[in-house]
Structures are given as C-alpha cells and as structure tokens.
Amino acid sequence: MTGPGGAGRTTVAAATALAEARAGRQVLLVSAEADTALGADGDKGLRILRPDPGADFRREFLALQARSGAALDLLGAAPLEDAELTELPGSRQFALLRALRDAAAGDRDLVVVDMPPLDEALAVLALPAQLRRYLRRLLPPERQAARALRPMLAQLAGVPMPAQWLYGTTGRWEAELAAVQAVVDAPATTVRLVVEPGPAAVDALCTARLGLALHGLALDLVIANRLLPADSPDPWFAGLTAEQHKHLERLRTEHTGTVHALPHLGRAPRGPEDLDLLAVEVGPPAAVPDRSVEDRRAEEGILVWHLPLPGAVKGELSLVRRGDELLLEAGPFRRAVPLPPALRRCTVSGAGLVDGDLRVRFTPVPGLWPKTSQRTP
C-alpha cells in the first residue's frame, strides 16, 4: 500500500489486513504506524511487524565493525559502541527492505505492507536491483579488482588489502539484496495505490503507473479513499461531493483496472469496528507488465522489444544502449534494464512510443547469429 502523503494508506493497510485475518487467513501487517488505527492486533490471525530503523542500523553496523576488526586494528581505528550510534539517513528504507525479506520468509498466508509515500516507495522498491547492479560493477565476483588494487594499497600505509573480507562482505550483501528483490519481483507481489479523490489524485496515478511499469511491477488496484456521501441537501457540501466524484471518474478513465471507492467516516478511524467499514478484499494478483520480444526478421529483418510505459511522454523519454543493458529514462525515473539474451546479439536501430508502448527495434548482428540452413526438396 502506498499513495500520496495523508491519503490514508496506513488506515487502508490496517483495514485490509484485519479483514483478511477475520476471514481466516494468517496475516502479517508490516507497519510502523498501524497501532493507532488498530488499537490492538484485533484478531488472533493478525500479527504486526514494526520495522525499527534505529535498532536495525545499530545491529548491522556493529556486525560489520566486528567482521572488519582486523583491518580496523591495522589502521588504528577506535571502534564505536552501541550507545553512541545514531541512525543515518536511509536507515528507514533499509529497515523496511529487511522487514520485507523477513516477512516473506515466514509462514503467513498474506503480508500487507504499509509503504512510505509514493515517491519514496517507488525508490525503495527499485533499490535492491540498483544496489546489486552497483556491486557487480564495482566489485565483480571474479575478484579482478582485488588483484589490481592489492599492490597499490600495500604501498599506502603498508596495509594489505583484505580482499577475502571485502568479497565476503559483498557476497553477504548480494545474498540479502537478492532475497529482497525476489520478494519485490515475485508474481504474487502487487502494489495498491491509495488516493483521496482530488486534483492531485490523477497525477499520483500517472506517477505510480509509469514508475511501477519501468521497474516491471504491477499496479493491482486504485483505492479512492474518504469519498463524501452524495445525498447531502447542503449546497456547499454537495459541491465538494460533486468535485470528488468528478475526480473519481477521471481515475476510472485513466486506470484500466479496478478503482475501489471507500467512504469518508466523518472522523478518524477509532478501532477495528471502523476498520471493518474500510476493508478492501484481496483478489488475484495483477498481471506484471509484459516485456515481449516480437520477431520480425522474416518480414523486416528486425526484432522489436515492447516495453510498457503507460503515461510516458515522448519528449521526456530517452534511451541509451550500454553493453547488455538499456539505460532508460522516463519522466523523473531512470533505470538500467537488462536486455534479453537474444537482443544482446543485436544493435539498436530505432525506437518509438505508441499508446504507452515503447517499441525498441533491434537489428541482428550477422556474425553473432547462427546461419539458417535450407533443405533442397
């Protein structure tokens, strides 16, 4: 669950988790703020996991310091103690990612995650793949960088390069990030957008669609929260209602999937009874955007890679081929997208954007493709 700040995503996440638990499922709610809405866990089938960025940062830092003790001793470094550690910017995001990994490794039927506001949530979901890419580039598994840097570091302060420690640490990070990425990329993982019908709702929807599609994630459902009743005799109140319903219809026009409307309770939710009024059923996961490769070699001598980018604008779109990746920028988002194996033996020959479908044309390199043999009749 994500959405613009103040749209009620925490309340909707708590209501969804509670409803599924009361329906007989074992549910885990990952949230740092759901206690206020729930009052208590609310049902024996519901458990709450509260990420603790401060404790997570101290635990990970002290473990890293302990593993690198020998190298720090050579440098004359003074180790830091638990009591003097304060979390750094970014700790909350990493604590949430570890909570996602731990939650998926459990035995619950359903995990509902109260994500940060939309822009931050998109960045968090993209983080595991981005960090893994950086690790592979900067510290390749074959350890060539370690061999090249060892003589230089030996001359600086006479410190031998701890290559084994460095790559052992990198291996642990890679394993953790891979586990989190597996959760994010799993077919059963979908994102729900919670908005309050208003001028910013459609903008939030467009941002979510484009950002999620760029990272290959599915937008499951749009939840229009705090919808005012339509039968008020008061002209001022009726005007607000009409404005909300106008934006609600725009949401339904823009989103090809389901838009679910939730009522305004006239107050802040005060416990499980109010949450029952805001429950949204969890259905089958939404389909992940299909990045298919169309083979047009017989007709045009090319292959076409289809990349769904709903809401993308041609003037805000750029792409660059770099090795086996396509560096793709769409609006405020940027991502290095790995090429399918077949396209790595091709050159980019053009691209076009048609109704939210980016079509990148590739021309096969003759020397890298097997020659087709023709049989004589």
Side-chain angles (χ1 to χ4, degrees):
M1 298 283 187
T2 185
R9 66 187 186 281
T10 298
T11 299
V12 175
T16 302
L18 181 61
E20 292 295 319
R22 288 181 169 177
R25 303 179 77 180
Q26 294 297 309
V27 181
L28 177 65
L29 172 61
V30 180
S31 176
E33 303 172 353
D35 303 68
T36 304
L38 282 167
D41 280 4
D43 189 273
K44 62 181 180 181
L46 174 61
R47 186 167 68 86
I48 301 177
L49 173 61
R50 303 168 181 85
D52 186 343
D56 184 80
F57 171 77
R58 292 191 295 272
R59 181 178 62 253
E60 293 298 321
F61 184 92
L62 292 174
L64 178 63
Q65 181 175 259
R67 289 194 295 265
S68 57
L72 293 176
D73 289 341
L74 286 172
L75 295 172
L80 295 168
E81 298 180 358
D82 189 324
E84 60 183 310
L85 292 177
T86 56
E87 62 184 278
L88 297 176
S91 300
R92 184 175 66 165
Q93 290 84 347
F94 283 102
L96 178 57
L97 289 175
R98 289 194 179 92
L100 283 178
R101 178 201 62 191
D102 296 342
D107 58 355
R108 295 275 152 167
D109 301 321
L110 175 70
V111 179
V112 179
V113 185
D114 175 20
M115 294 292 288
L118 179 59
D119 290 346
E120 184 182 348
L122 292 172
V124 169
L125 292 172
L127 193 57
Q130 290 175 330
L131 290 180
R132 293 182 71 198
R133 178 175 178 266
Y134 297 158
L135 286 175
R136 288 192 296 267
R137 291 289 297 273
L138 297 175
L139 294 169
E142 57 270 21
R143 304 184 182 182
Q144 293 177 357
R147 289 194 294 268
L149 291 174
R150 190 180 293 115
M152 180 184 68
L153 291 182
Q155 294 176 8
L156 297 174
V159 179
M161 181 177 181
Q164 193 63 39
W165 168 85
L166 178 63
Y167 279 93
T169 300
T170 303
R172 282 189 289 271
W173 287 346
E174 162 67 22
E176 285 198 16
L177 290 168
V180 179
Q181 188 179 353
V183 176
V184 174
D185 293 343
T189 299
T190 53
V191 179
R192 289 187 169 186
L193 180 70
V194 181
V195 296
E196 188 168 351
V202 173
D203 291 340
L205 172 59
C206 293
T207 298
R209 284 191 312 171
L210 181 57
L212 292 171
L214 183 62
H215 294 287
L217 301 173
L219 179 59
D220 178 28
L221 188 67
V222 175
I223 300 172
N225 194 26
R226 302 183 185 131
L227 196 67
L228 298 170
D231 54 355
S232 173
D234 184 276
W236 181 83
F237 195 84
L240 290 179
T241 302
E243 188 71 13
Q244 270 199 333
H245 280 268
K246 181 180 72 174
H247 292 295
L248 178 61
E249 289 308 310
R250 286 196 62 198
L251 287 172
R252 287 174 172 155
T253 301
E254 291 289 335
H255 184 50
T256 56
T258 302
V259 177
H260 188 95
L262 292 177
H264 199 304
L265 300 182
R267 61 182 183 277
R270 296 172 184 169
E273 292 74 18
D274 283 349
L275 293 182
D276 288 342
L277 305 174
L278 303 175
V280 181
E281 183 180 353
V282 175
V288 176
D290 182 22
R291 295 176 174 176
S292 59
V293 177
E294 181 184 1
D295 191 344
R296 296 186 188 172
R297 285 176 295 165
E299 303 85 6
E300 304 174 46
I302 62 171
L303 294 100
V304 180
W305 193 19
H306 294 266
L307 296 169
L309 293 177
V313 178
K314 183 177 180 180
E316 300 176 355
L317 193 63
S318 68
L319 56 94
V320 177
R321 166 78 180 270
R322 184 181 178 89
D324 292 340
E325 295 176 327
L326 192 67
L327 305 182
L328 181 57
E329 187 171 351
F333 305 105
R334 178 184 298 177
R335 190 194 178 191
V337 185
L339 294 176
L343 300 183
R344 297 172 188 174
R345 297 174 284 153
C346 305
T347 57
V348 177
S349 54
L353 182 66
V354 180
D355 296 330
D357 180 27
L358 177 62
R359 302 172 185 180
V360 188
R361 298 184 295 276
F362 290 82
T363 302
V365 178
L368 300 179
W369 283 78
K371 295 181 179 180
T372 58
S373 58
Q374 296 183 352
R375 294 183 179 181
T376 56

